[in-house]
Structure formats: C-alpha cells, structure tokens
Amino acid sequence: MNRPLSIAAGCLLISLGLITLKHSEVVTGGTAVLTLTLSYMFEIPFALLFFIVNLPFYFVAVIQMGWNFTLSTMVSVMLVTLMTAVDRWLPDFVLNMFIGTFVGSILCGIGLTTLLVNRASLGGVNIMALFLQKRYKVNPGTVNFVFDSSIVILGFYSVGALQGALSIASVFIVSSIIGLYKKKIFAGTQLSANKPSQTVVG
C-alpha cells in the first residue's frame, strides 16, 4: 500500500476509533481534549483556542520534521475531522464502556501508528513525541502516555471517576501500540528529515 493510501487508511481507523470511544462515553488524550477542557475553564471559543494551542507544535514540526511532514499532518487532521463528522448522521446509540474502550483504543492505536510510520501525525502531542524520539531517542509511546494521561487527568472533573479511569486505560492501550512500532516510526522520521522535497499527500 502506497503512502497516500496508508495515511487515508490510518485516518479512517482513527475516526472509527474516536466514534467508538465517543459512544462509549470515554475520552482519550490529545490537544483537542486539552483545548476543550481549557475552553470550558476560561470560556474561550474552542476554534480560536485550538489554533493557539497547536501553533507551537506546528512550529516545531516545520523546523524539526520539515514541511512535508507538517503538511501531511495538516491533511491528516482535516481527513479525521471530515470522517468523524459522519457521526452526526448516525443513529444515537450507546456502547458498553469496557468493550468500547478496548475496541476504540485499538483502532486509534493502529491508525495513529500507521500515520506515524508514514511520516504524518494528528499534530499536538504526536509532533512532540516524534521530536523527542528523533532528538533524544525517547520511546514515542511513553511520551504519548505521559502527555495524554496528564490531559485526561485535567479533565477528570467533567467526565467522572469511572470514565476517567477508562480514559487512562485508553491512553495506555494507544501508547502501547505506538511503542511497539517505535523503530519503524523512528525510521520514518529520519526519512522525512532527509527527504524534505518529497511529494505531499493531498
């Protein structure tokens, strides 16, 4: 499977995973969840705050990973946004929290790993994880778990204890899957840095 199709497949898996987690009433990590929590706390419009929160991460991506990676990441974010929007036309349903957490997290983990291996991401924490792996050889799964767990803990007050615990479990599953493929992900980041002029997915 070529790179554009792999990225599209990764975005599809992530979208299915996010929809599954949503209907299981479980949240996962990422800058979107952080932004949503902060927007409630400070009453700042979500779209504006989301743009502000991601700015430093995109700056790091351009400097450390190149424009190819950065633009591929922007395309991936757009694809996931469009694909998850399908949920509004689905009938309302609720999934078992435990099953939904397991299935949704695996889908997100495989999808996100697919993006990272193919030199793309969903921005935010993903960019920081790749930067730390590239610069200091830190396991991206570990970075993802620390950052996302902190974000989920910040939002405990709004989701409750059980959902919060399952959200931490979700972050652990996703991070573990990413960690299993750290060597392939590292190879992808090196290739991205060495070939900045490669055609961008679009």
Side-chain angles (χ1 to χ4, degrees):
M1 185 182 293
N2 61 31
R3 184 173 174 238
L5 288 179
S6 295
I7 290 177
C11 290
L12 178 60
L13 289 172
I14 292 169
S15 300
L16 291 173
L18 290 174
I19 291 173
T20 300
L21 291 172
K22 176 185 175 183
H23 287 277
S24 305
E25 299 181 345
V26 174
V27 299
T28 189
T31 52
V33 175
L34 173 62
T35 303
L36 185 60
T37 302
L38 293 177
S39 68
Y40 288 145
M41 293 174 63
F42 299 106
E43 298 183 353
I44 300 174
F46 175 83
L48 174 62
L49 193 57
F50 187 64
F51 175 76
I52 294 172
V53 168
N54 272 291
L55 271 180
F57 293 108
Y58 285 128
F59 178 76
V60 171
V62 171
I63 299 301
Q64 297 295 329
M65 314 300 293
W67 278 106
N68 178 49
F69 172 85
T70 305
L71 294 177
S72 296
T73 292
M74 292 179 177
V75 170
S76 298
V77 171
M78 180 186 67
L79 285 176
V80 170
T81 301
L82 292 174
M83 290 176 179
T84 52
V86 174
D87 184 53
R88 72 182 65 180
W89 290 289
L90 295 177
D92 190 26
F93 62 94
V94 177
L95 297 173
N96 178 276
M97 282 187 187
F98 298 96
I99 296 176
T101 297
F102 181 73
V103 173
S105 300
I106 288 179
L107 289 172
C108 286
I110 295 174
L112 188 52
T113 299
T114 301
L115 292 187
L116 296 176
V117 168
N118 285 278
R119 306 182 302 284
S121 75
L122 289 182
V125 174
N126 299 160
I127 293 174
M128 187 57 63
L130 290 177
F131 166 68
L132 292 176
Q133 183 192 33
K134 179 183 175 184
R135 177 64 64 87
Y136 302 108
K137 306 298 188 295
V138 178
N139 188 325
T142 301
V143 175
N144 189 81
F145 179 75
V146 171
F147 273 82
D148 282 358
S149 295
S150 300
I151 292 171
V152 171
I153 290 172
L154 181 62
F156 256 48
Y157 79 96
S158 61
V159 300
L162 177 58
Q163 286 91 337
L166 289 175
S167 297
I168 293 291
S170 173
V171 170
F172 177 77
I173 293 172
V174 172
S175 301
S176 297
I177 294 173
I178 294 173
L180 289 175
Y181 293 89
K182 61 182 179 181
K183 290 184 178 179
K184 286 188 176 181
I185 293 171
F186 179 72
T189 60
Q190 293 299 100
L191 181 59
S192 177
N194 294 333
K195 296 184 178 180
S197 61
Q198 195 169 4
T199 302
V200 176
V201 176

